[in-house]
Amino acid sequence: MSLAASSGPPSRRHSRLTRLTRSMGLVIGLAVVVLMIVAALVAPWIAPFDPDDQDVLLILSAPDATHWFGTDAFGRDVLSRVLWGARVSLYVGFVATALGIVIGSAIGIVAGFYGGLIDRAVSASTDILLSFPQLIMGLLLVAVLGASLTNLIIAIAITAVPAFIRMARSSALAMRERDFIDACRVLGYSDLRIMAVHILPNSLDELVVMASLWMASAIRTESTLAFIGLSVPPPTATWGGIVREGFDNLLDAPWLALFPSLAILIVMIGLNMVGDGLRDATDPRAAT
Amino acid sequence: MNAPLIVDGVTTSIRLDGQRHDVVRDISFQVAARETLALVGESGCGKSMTALSIMGLLPAGIASVSAGKIIVDGIDMVAADETVRESVRGNRIGMIFQEPMTSLNPVLPIGFQVGEALMQHQGLSRSAARAKALDLLEHVRIPSAARRLDDYPHQFSGGMRQRVMIALALACGPKVLIADEPTTALDVTIQRQVLALLADLQAREGLAVLLITHNLGVVASVADRVMVMYGGDVVESADVKDFFARPTHPYSVALLAAMPRIDATEGPQPIPGQVPSLDAMPSGCRFQSRCHLRQDVCSTLPPLKPVAGNPGHQVRCWMRGDT
């Protein structure tokens, strides 16, 4: 009996099992994220109360059958606020990441494709931007621009751009030397066409994986900024803002900070599972 | 009518450490419609540089055509600006490569890749380009082409991919085709099929084919004329029959002797030494460092002159040809 025959089937079964659990992670993560997005979209219809409606008779009441997540210091329903807060937090995370990926990959692909002076200038600026911690950078930008929804998105997008530049650049750099790019030149395709039609789709899987991880990080940054009062001004509900309000009453009403924190946690875990799952699914080495 | 491809006195130079080296020296030839000219020589002899010069794809800032004219289907590729060259490439001149495995974009379906050239050069709509792409794939005899339009390159074998590359190169109906080692990466049986397909398409479309190869067997079976290059110089130029009947330049003779033959009593004879590096190129005849006929006169570059009253057979050697 040969060694290969005896070791073959179990390892194959093992790899199939690990692949299955990996794709399970992707499915669960995707389900969590989609559920959150749907909840945010239909918040106006499913939220049991108006998120800004104050009920002075029911201040800081504990979770019960009417107010599942309790009420806050103004007597507002926490469940409704968490649902409405999801709209802001997810919107900021999604739009900021989308802006980051579009701007970052455009600049990165151009830099990687042309190389030379453009590349050196872009790489140097990217390095400088990346040397700032994301939160400090976001803080600085919001402080300069002023706290509003648009400025928040711009600030978080700017923190995401350098990372996408770097990834798209390295991808374009490797792609530039491939034979099929030479074939494109021989066919008389313009540089723009080569970059948009031939290099971008080849880099897309990497960029999408990174986008899902960055969206988690954008949501975290938004929440942190909201926590220190640099997000959309009150009374608009955002997750970080609700945690901040709950922080003041942490000992009397822990549910106030608990539920929005859980929401942030669950979305971040979900997005990370999606990112990891996508990475494994698109990594050719994982398939063997 | 002028030949679709005219190369007239072209010298291509590259700059290395501030020094100019001629990698192609004063090369002239024409390829007529339906004709196949084979460019032969070992690695580093200037074959690919000649092809890149014709396509206008020399690496910018490093290499350039420093003298001469290249006319592709009536358009001067040396004088033209980049926009004009882009409109010529893939449209009036096609090119296929040695490596069909890596010359197609792995993430795009082949139907789109073939159609893309038509969208770019002929302004076809996506659906019209798709229909034409199907025609082209049937033309290059891809079995059940209609079902395979949406397949990706990894679903094709090497021979099939080379057929796709040929369809792509010929999509816009060019007058000139440059085939750079088109069969080197393929099995011998597939080589035969691809060469037969090329010959067939050439006859049908009236293509002028410039075949770049180091495989003299391929030359003997498909070429009309042969040009042997060494160190950037054309050292011999002849009709394919004359070339194999009377190889004249010492390098041509050595090349043929280096080829294994089924009817030979002795094994192949390798050519001693290798092509000198650019900064070590001897002045005069560049083959002198490996030539057993070397004389003092060889340090002056010999002209290309006819052999024994046959004006179609030219050789660049002081020791051979008419004196």
Side-chain angles (χ1 to χ4, degrees), chain B residues 120-149:
Chain B
Q120 163 93 5
H121 291 294
Q122 302 185 344
L124 292 192
S125 70
R126 196 173 264 256
S127 57
R130 190 181 158 87
K132 182 93 190 283
L134 175 59
D135 274 1
L136 285 159
L137 291 177
E138 280 170 351
H139 239 66
V140 296
R141 294 182 214 135
I142 298 223
S144 38
R147 272 198 299 116
R148 309 218 61 183
L149 272 180

Side-chain angles (χ1 to χ4, degrees), chain A residues 178-191 193 197-199 201-202, chain B residues 55 57 86 89-90 95 97 99 102-108 116-117 120-121 168:
Chain A
R178 301 272 294 270
D179 287 345
F180 66 85
I181 298 300
D182 289 340
C184 287
R185 291 188 201 280
V186 160
L187 286 165
Y189 295 164
S190 61
D191 289 353
R193 174 176 280 272
V197 181
H198 291 271
I199 292 184
N202 273 289
Chain B
M55 298 298 290
L57 283 174
E86 270 175 15
R89 290 199 286 268
M95 184 164 176
F97 299 95
E99 268 304 335
T102 53
S103 298
L104 288 163
N105 192 331
V107 303
L108 297 174
E116 191 186 6
Q120 163 93 5
H121 291 294
L168 197 47

Side-chain angles (χ1 to χ4, degrees), chain A residues 141-185:
Chain A
L141 287 165
V142 175
V144 171
L145 296 169
S148 76
L149 189 63
T150 318
N151 290 345
L152 195 67
I153 289 172
I154 293 172
I156 294 175
I158 290 176
T159 66
V161 162
F164 284 106
I165 289 181
R166 194 173 258 193
M167 171 148 273
R169 173 188 170 270
S170 70
S171 175
L173 207 62
M175 216 65 72
R176 192 173 65 171
E177 308 298 331
R178 301 272 294 270
D179 287 345
F180 66 85
I181 298 300
D182 289 340
C184 287
R185 291 188 201 280

Side-chain angles (χ1 to χ4, degrees), chain A residues 12-237:
Chain A
R12 204 175 302 144
R13 200 175 308 140
H14 172 73
S15 84
R16 197 179 300 159
L17 201 70
T18 51
R19 216 182 306 167
L20 196 69
T21 48
R22 275 201 206 112
S23 54
M24 286 270 285
L26 179 61
V27 170
I28 294 170
L30 216 53
V32 167
V33 173
V34 167
L35 204 69
M36 279 287 187
I37 292 173
V38 170
L41 286 175
V42 300
W45 295 280
I46 61 165
F49 296 91
D50 185 315
D52 300 331
D53 234 9
Q54 305 184 1
D55 185 347
V56 282
L57 298 177
L58 265 178
I59 287 171
L60 296 178
S61 80
D64 59 28
T66 347
H67 299 281
W68 291 2
F69 289 3
T71 60
D72 68 4
F74 298 100
R76 295 176 296 196
D77 180 52
V78 175
L79 172 60
S80 304
R81 286 187 72 71
V82 168
L83 283 169
W84 278 83
R87 292 168 78 85
V88 177
S89 296
L90 293 179
Y91 178 74
V92 170
F94 185 80
V95 177
T97 309
L99 275 177
I101 192 171
V102 170
I103 300 169
S105 52
I107 297 176
I109 286 177
V110 168
F113 183 74
Y114 287 110
L117 209 60
I118 303 174
D119 184 31
R120 259 179 287 163
V122 167
S123 296
S125 343
T126 310
D127 288 344
I128 293 170
L129 286 174
L130 279 173
S131 66
F132 288 95
Q134 193 196 357
L135 186 60
I136 307 288
M137 189 76 177
L139 206 91
L140 208 76
L141 287 165
V142 175
V144 171
L145 296 169
S148 76
L149 189 63
T150 318
N151 290 345
L152 195 67
I153 289 172
I154 293 172
I156 294 175
I158 290 176
T159 66
V161 162
F164 284 106
I165 289 181
R166 194 173 258 193
M167 171 148 273
R169 173 188 170 270
S170 70
S171 175
L173 207 62
M175 216 65 72
R176 192 173 65 171
E177 308 298 331
R178 301 272 294 270
D179 287 345
F180 66 85
I181 298 300
D182 289 340
C184 287
R185 291 188 201 280
V186 160
L187 286 165
Y189 295 164
S190 61
D191 289 353
L192 186 65
R193 174 176 280 272
I194 293 176
M195 286 188 275
V197 181
H198 291 271
I199 292 184
L200 180 62
N202 273 289
S203 318
L204 216 53
D205 52 350
E206 287 173 335
L207 289 168
V208 166
V209 169
M210 201 162 92
S212 59
L213 299 173
W214 264 91
M215 194 170 151
S217 141
I219 290 171
R220 190 192 59 213
T221 306
E222 188 278 330
S223 301
T224 314
L225 289 173
F227 184 76
I228 56 177
L230 282 174
S231 178
V232 192
T236 309

Side-chain angles (χ1 to χ4, degrees), chain B:
Chain B
M1 198 183 123
N2 284 331
L5 177 61
I6 302 170
V7 172
D8 184 18
V10 166
T11 296
T12 300
S13 323
I14 65 172
R15 289 205 158 271
L16 271 183
D17 307 325
Q19 252 188 318
R20 203 187 104 162
H21 301 282
D22 294 343
V23 288
V24 174
R25 277 206 297 195
D26 191 23
I27 173 173
S28 298
F29 60 86
Q30 299 194 354
V31 190
R34 288 169 217 284
E35 186 186 33
T36 301
L37 172 65
L39 215 51
V40 179
E42 64 196 292
S43 307
C45 70
K47 294 174 298 185
S48 295
M49 276 296 172
T50 306
L52 290 179
S53 303
I54 295 169
M55 298 298 290
L57 283 174
L58 292 166
I62 301 166
S64 62
V65 175
S66 48
K69 274 195 298 193
I70 296 169
I71 314 284
V72 174
D73 196 13
I75 292 175
D76 188 338
M77 289 296 271
V78 180
D81 65 20
E82 187 53 26
T83 326
V84 175
R85 289 186 197 170
E86 270 175 15
S87 73
V88 172
R89 290 199 286 268
N91 194 21
R92 293 164 190 266
I93 185 166
M95 184 164 176
I96 52 178
F97 299 95
Q98 179 170 355
E99 268 304 335
M101 302 310 275
T102 53
S103 298
L104 288 163
N105 192 331
V107 303
L108 297 174
I110 59 130
F112 173 80
Q113 295 196 51
V114 175
E116 191 186 6
L118 295 158
M119 291 191 268
Q120 163 93 5
H121 291 294
Q122 302 185 344
L124 292 192
S125 70
R126 196 173 264 256
S127 57
R130 190 181 158 87
K132 182 93 190 283
L134 175 59
D135 274 1
L136 285 159
L137 291 177
E138 280 170 351
H139 239 66
V140 296
R141 294 182 214 135
I142 298 223
S144 38
R147 272 198 299 116
R148 309 218 61 183
L149 272 180
D150 296 315
D151 281 357
Y152 288 85
H154 73 269
Q155 292 165 293
F156 288 79
S157 65
M160 284 298 145
R161 276 190 233 188
Q162 192 61 297
R163 285 164 192 259
V164 174
M165 290 306 295
I166 293 171
L168 197 47
L170 299 182
C172 298
K175 298 280 167 38
V176 184
L177 178 71
I178 299 182
D180 190 352
E181 307 271 10
T183 57
T184 309
L186 304 175
D187 286 344
V188 184
T189 46
I190 306 297
Q191 263 189 35
R192 230 187 118 74
Q193 292 173 12
V194 169
L195 288 174
L197 174 70
L198 271 179
D200 193 40
L201 292 170
Q202 178 182 24
R204 201 171 345 173
E205 320 250 332
L207 283 172
V209 175
L210 179 63
L211 175 73
I212 295 174
T213 185
H214 58 249
N215 186 337
L216 291 169
V218 170
V219 172
S221 61
V222 302
D224 300 307
R225 277 192 303 135
V226 183
M227 252 172 62
V228 182
M229 289 187 75
Y230 186 87
D233 290 328
V234 174
V235 295
E236 185 161 358
S237 165
D239 272 3
V240 72
K241 282 200 192 90
D242 294 340
F243 177 76
F244 284 101
R246 289 185 54 196
T248 307
H249 194 278
Y251 179 59
S252 313
V253 176
L255 263 188
L256 282 165
M259 205 176 68
R261 294 181 65 110
I262 201 159
D263 55 354
T265 46
E266 291 173 50
Q269 300 293 314
I271 308 174
Q274 50 191 319
V275 184
S277 64
L278 283 171
D279 46 2
M281 273 297 175
S283 62
C285 173
R286 286 180 162 177
F287 187 59
Q288 58 179 290
S289 54
R290 300 165 74 185
C291 184
H292 64 284
L293 297 175
R294 194 193 175 282
Q295 303 287 322
D296 287 345
V297 66
C298 295
S299 51
T300 317
L301 183 68
L304 205 55
K305 59 196 174 190
V307 177
N310 177 359
H313 191 167
Q314 296 180 307
V315 66
R316 190 189 290 280
C317 182
W318 290 117
M319 302 299 123
R320 295 290 163 87
D322 289 347
T323 36

